[in-house]
Amino acid sequence: MRYEVIVIGAGMVGTSIAWHLQSHNSQVLLLDKKPPGSETSYGNAGLIQREAIHVHPFPRHLAELIRVLPNQNTDIRYRWPAVFRYHQALLKYWQFSAPSSVQQIEKEWQTLIEHCTSEHQEMITAAGAEDLIRRDGWIEMHRDENKLKAAILGAENVLQQGIEHKVLSITQLKELEPNGNFDDFIGAIHWSNSWQVSNPGALVKAYAKSFQEKDGAIGECTVKEIRPEGDGWQVITDLDTFYSDDLVIAAGPWSNQLIKPLGYDLPLFPMRGYHQHFETTPQNTVNHSLVDMDKGFVMGPMQQGIRVTTGAEMTTIDAPKNFDQLNAVLAFAKNILPLNQKVETEAWAGSRPCMPDMKPVIGAAGKHSNLWFAFGHGHQGFTLGPITGRIIEELLHNKPTVVDIEPFDAQRFSNA
């Protein structure tokens, strides 16, 4: 069959793109090997982070590098095969993490983040998904006084950007979350205008259902190859061959393997995260997601139970699971809340697509007409899916874009 647009990748980003295009009179086919919201978009902290105006640079100070090197931290771990495989991308990451570069990158990054809640709201309303959303923010907890002071100063400096917060004493934190043990903490920040989602995968599925209600089509199959065909595209899958005028690659960490045969080699690298659910009881019920900033993990209320998510593991996308980082995190998490009964027999693991300059790739591919890229959102694909969908729709339909897309152009990498 032929469609006006085929979107490959049914995570938050790809589903949002398909939804926006279908909403603006394109006939769209959304393809993925699994149902919408089943991969990276399923396993996240469930936060739509309006406050996430800062990127995460590569450690550049000697003390920070020394901290990371033993590979025993709960926030970041690495495997040497991945370091060797992605060493060129990691070198670029280190270069882009110079303070002068980060300052400019964050200005560009913020043009996307400022639209995250408003763009999600349009899709939430259309999808009838209000029951999945809580608009009471999340809590950033600190164990170190100097880090807390720095975080408070940073929060005060972004008030003019519409980001709301309240500094909490431990007494105030305990009032909000009476089941928590916060003896090891000295204070917290409540980010009040970011949103919580009680089931991230279900929100993507709700958006996908809304897309189908607009007569959009979904195909559950594995894409084997993409080929230019005249002015359009041929997409060969394990089930059928599909044709389109335009093609959008939004396959997250799998994007590079689709586009490399066409001559693209972007410095995309995966960062893995793990999560485990625990049964919710009257003794461990919490009202907000709690983020331990010093240990680098999130624990929050989900439909499936209390979800504990790790920071990042630098590894290859197909490497076996290694639960050491998660187990280290759980030792701290169980000291905050009583987490006794696991929900899953095995913890979930998935990969986030990262770019060395900490910005996503959004826009025209460059070497081929009617080919579009939308991947590399790092930890914020769930937050930025809807604004990315809007931008791709505007580009594909030759409209003025809501943000300047030049900073996110694929061609910013010379070998692209």
Side-chain angles (χ1 to χ4, degrees):
M1 291 187 64
R2 188 171 193 92
Y3 297 83
E4 289 180 72
V5 188
I6 293 176
V7 179
I8 300 177
M12 178 59 83
V13 173
T15 300
S16 297
I17 292 167
W19 185 91
H20 272 277
L21 288 166
Q22 191 72 30
S23 299
H24 290 84
N25 304 314
S26 285
Q27 188 58 46
V28 182
L29 172 64
L30 178 63
L31 294 177
D32 203 311
K33 61 186 176 183
K34 293 184 179 180
S38 298
E39 283 283 2
T40 307
S41 294
Y42 169 79
N44 57 74
L47 298 174
I48 300 172
Q49 291 188 252
R50 177 63 185 88
E51 90 301 330
I53 60 170
H54 299 298
V55 295
H56 299 283
F58 194 96
R60 289 178 67 92
H61 295 294
L62 181 60
E64 183 67 10
L65 287 168
I66 291 172
R67 184 186 75 85
V68 172
L69 277 175
N71 210 20
Q72 296 297 313
N73 292 291
T74 49
D75 57 345
I76 177 70
R77 293 202 180 181
Y78 58 89
R79 300 192 206 181
W80 283 112
V83 173
F84 292 133
R85 179 170 175 177
Y86 299 109
H87 70 277
Q88 291 181 321
L90 292 174
L91 177 59
K92 291 178 186 289
Y93 184 13
W94 183 83
Q95 291 169 337
F96 280 116
S97 296
S100 57
S101 296
V102 169
Q103 188 176 19
Q104 179 61 32
I105 288 166
E106 289 191 337
K107 288 179 182 178
E108 296 161 352
W109 171 258
Q110 289 162 15
T111 65
L112 296 175
I113 285 290
E114 67 179 330
H115 297 283
C116 67
T117 50
S118 59
E119 292 299 321
H120 263 284
Q121 185 58 61
E122 180 184 359
M123 296 183 67
I124 290 165
T125 301
E130 288 290 345
D131 60 316
L132 296 172
I133 311 300
R134 294 180 61 177
R135 294 176 176 80
D136 46 9
W138 61 275
I139 297 174
E140 170 183 320
M141 307 184 303
H142 285 269
R143 300 166 183 263
D144 181 271
E145 186 171 356
N146 289 330
K147 290 180 180 178
L148 175 61
K149 287 179 179 178
I152 292 171
L153 180 60
E156 291 171 349
N157 288 338
V158 299
L159 283 171
Q160 70 275 14
Q161 296 187 40
I163 298 167
E164 300 168 5
H165 77 281
K166 181 181 179 181
V167 178
L168 302 176
S169 67
I170 294 303
T171 300
Q172 291 170 317
L173 175 56
K174 189 74 175 178
E175 289 172 355
L176 285 176
E177 300 294 354
N179 284 329
N181 169 28
F182 305 115
D183 291 347
D184 294 332
F185 296 89
I186 56 144
I189 298 174
H190 181 197
W191 298 103
S192 52
N193 62 337
S194 292
W195 299 351
Q196 295 182 101
V197 179
S198 61
N199 188 328
L203 184 62
V204 179
K205 288 181 182 352
Y207 289 171
K209 182 181 178 184
S210 176
F211 162 71
Q212 288 178 298
E213 290 169 350
K214 298 173 185 290
D215 296 324
I218 296 176
E220 192 174 325
C221 52
T222 299
V223 175
K224 298 292 188 179
E225 187 181 356
I226 56 178
R227 296 177 182 170
E229 185 188 64
D231 293 332
W233 291 90
Q234 183 184 58
V235 179
I236 301 165
T237 77
D238 58 346
L239 296 180
D240 205 345
T241 297
F242 303 97
Y243 302 87
S244 67
D245 300 325
D246 288 88
L247 178 63
V248 183
I249 307 298
W254 296 276
S255 296
N256 247 2
Q257 64 192 52
L258 291 172
I259 62 177
K260 275 188 176 183
L262 298 174
Y264 300 90
D265 188 15
L266 275 67
L268 180 72
F269 61 94
M271 293 291 278
R272 182 178 290 181
Y274 296 83
H275 81 228
Q276 179 80 61
H277 289 107
F278 293 84
E279 286 187 5
T280 305
T281 69
Q283 289 74 39
N284 68 15
T285 298
V286 288
N287 303 306
H288 304 81
S289 287
L290 306 175
V291 181
D292 186 330
M293 296 299 291
D294 296 273
K295 302 302 178 184
F297 68 90
V298 185
M299 55 198 310
M302 295 282 179
Q303 288 180 350
Q304 303 98 317
I306 303 295
R307 178 180 291 188
V308 182
T309 68
T310 64
E313 181 190 27
M314 178 75 201
T315 189
T316 54
I317 199 167
D318 53 356
K321 294 180 182 180
N322 182 336
F323 299 117
D324 289 351
Q325 184 182 20
L326 177 63
N327 291 333
V329 159
L330 290 177
F332 291 102
K334 289 179 178 181
N335 192 44
I336 300 170
L337 289 175
L339 304 171
N340 298 314
Q341 189 63 43
K342 294 179 180 179
V343 173
E344 306 98 341
T345 55
E346 182 176 271
W348 179 91
S351 296
R352 306 174 182 100
C354 300
M355 300 300 294
D357 63 353
M358 297 159 277
K359 297 180 298 184
V361 174
I362 305 173
K367 295 179 180 178
H368 297 80
S369 59
N370 302 335
L371 179 63
W372 310 87
F373 293 163
F375 51 79
H377 294 73
H379 293 253
Q380 297 296 348
F382 190 78
T383 290
L384 294 176
I387 181 58
T388 302
R390 176 177 173 178
I391 292 168
I392 290 292
E393 185 276 322
E394 290 169 340
L395 287 170
L396 199 144
H397 290 152
N398 296 310
K399 300 176 182 177
T401 54
V402 64
V403 303
D404 178 10
I405 63 148
E406 185 177 357
F408 313 107
D409 194 324
Q411 297 160 75
R412 68 187 188 262
F413 300 101
S414 59
N415 64 342

